[in-house]
């Protein structure tokens, strides 16, 4: 899932060893993923995980602006992207190929049903979700004239969180990415190119 991908990206970029356990955590009252176990402490929800890891990984907590971005991309942008993918049989099949295994086969075989009958209406139902282009505009505003969302000359935790969340959609070549990035000379597309170069030695799907 995109939230799992962003946590993997963070941990691999900062060289933190970890063990991946597929699926929900057994015998836990929390039924969503990801869950991060550090010693005997369990941290739930990817936003809380990112916020908790930031001081350790980058030496400072997330700023108020960065927390706003983290909530924006997790509670808004991700829902908009998933809704868009669920409305395209081609994108669903591409995601199925990326997923692989039994789950990938199930997704591919049910792509038409999801697209026509389930996905776009059910994903994010009851939430106020902006268009993908509006989320792109918001991220460009946060980016301003800087190279990275966290400021400075190299990626910060918030950059890696967004980049990791987008990776499954990018890797599957989903059409929603063109709506988010705009043209190649767009500031957000240029940010993504810098992030790809900075993380060129990392494969979160390996």
């Amino acid at each position: 899932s995109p939230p799992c991908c962003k946590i993997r990206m963070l941990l691999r970029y900062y060289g933190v060893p970890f063990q991946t356990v597929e699926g929900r955590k057994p015998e836990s009252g929390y039924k969503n993923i990801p869950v991060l176990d550090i010693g005997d402490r369990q941290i739930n929800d990817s936003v809380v995980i990112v916020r908790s890891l930031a001081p350790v990984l980058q030496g400072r907590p997330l700023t108020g602006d960065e927390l706003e971005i983290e909530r924006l991309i997790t509670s808004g942008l991700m829902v908009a992207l998933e809704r868009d993918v669920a409305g395209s049989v081609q994108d669903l099949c591409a995601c199925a190929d990326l997923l692989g295994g039994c789950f990938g086969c199930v997704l591919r075989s049910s792509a038409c049903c999801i697209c026509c009958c389930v996905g776009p209406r059910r994903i994010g139902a009851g939430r106020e979700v902006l268009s993908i282009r509006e989320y792109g505009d918001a991220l460009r505003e946060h980016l301003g004239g800087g190279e990275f969302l966290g400021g400075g000359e190299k990626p910060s935790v918030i950059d890696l969180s967004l980049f990791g969340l987008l990776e499954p959609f990018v890797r599957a070549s989903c059409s929603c990415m063109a709506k988010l990035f705009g043209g190649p000379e767009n500031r957000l597309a240029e940010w993504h190119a810098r992030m790809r170069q900075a993380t060129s030695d990392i494969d979160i799907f390996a």
Side-chain angles (χ1 to χ4, degrees):
S1 71
C4 293
C5 287
K6 70 178 179 180
I7 302 305
R8 288 181 186 174
M9 179 62 69
L10 276 171
L11 296 176
R12 289 192 174 167
Y13 181 83
Y14 286 103
V16 179
F18 65 95
Q19 179 182 359
T20 300
V21 179
E22 298 295 337
R24 295 173 177 173
K25 182 181 177 182
E27 301 177 3
S28 172
Y30 185 74
K31 299 304 181 184
N32 296 327
I33 56 173
V35 167
L36 182 66
D37 285 332
I38 304 177
D40 58 358
R41 180 187 178 194
Q42 175 178 316
I43 307 176
N44 304 330
D45 188 273
S46 66
V47 173
V48 178
I49 294 172
V50 170
R51 188 182 65 200
S52 300
L53 289 177
V56 179
L57 298 179
Q58 66 182 9
R60 64 169 179 82
L62 296 179
T63 65
D65 188 57
E66 289 169 337
L67 276 171
E68 181 182 341
I69 296 172
E70 179 62 27
R71 295 188 183 105
L72 179 82
I73 64 176
T74 305
S75 301
L77 173 60
M78 184 180 73
V79 177
L81 295 174
E82 290 177 338
R83 181 183 290 175
D84 191 87
V85 169
S88 166
V89 172
Q90 181 177 344
D91 286 349
L92 284 169
C93 289
C95 290
D97 292 342
L98 179 64
L99 184 61
C102 294
F103 289 114
C105 289
V106 171
L107 178 57
R108 175 175 278 277
S109 64
S110 57
C112 289
C113 179
I114 292 172
C115 182
C116 297
C117 308
V118 181
R121 291 192 296 272
R122 293 284 297 276
I123 294 175
R127 294 191 193 182
E128 186 176 342
V129 180
L130 304 177
S131 70
I132 294 172
R133 288 188 174 87
E134 286 176 301
Y135 286 114
D137 290 340
L139 289 170
R140 279 183 283 273
E141 183 177 347
H142 281 290
L143 186 60
E147 292 191 352
F148 296 104
L149 288 165
E153 299 178 351
K154 61 181 181 179
S156 67
V157 162
I158 194 63
D159 291 285
L160 293 157
S161 177
L162 173 58
F163 184 74
L165 183 144
L166 296 178
E167 266 299 271
F169 301 101
V170 172
R171 188 71 66 93
S173 299
C174 294
S175 56
C176 54
M177 289 296 94
K179 300 174 185 176
L180 180 68
F181 291 141
E185 297 183 358
N186 184 292
R187 279 178 297 162
L188 196 56
E190 292 168 355
W191 166 86
H192 189 264
R194 286 191 291 271
M195 287 299 301
R196 182 154 301 286
Q197 183 176 8
T199 60
S200 59
D201 60 336
I202 299 173
D203 184 0
I204 59 174
F205 301 104

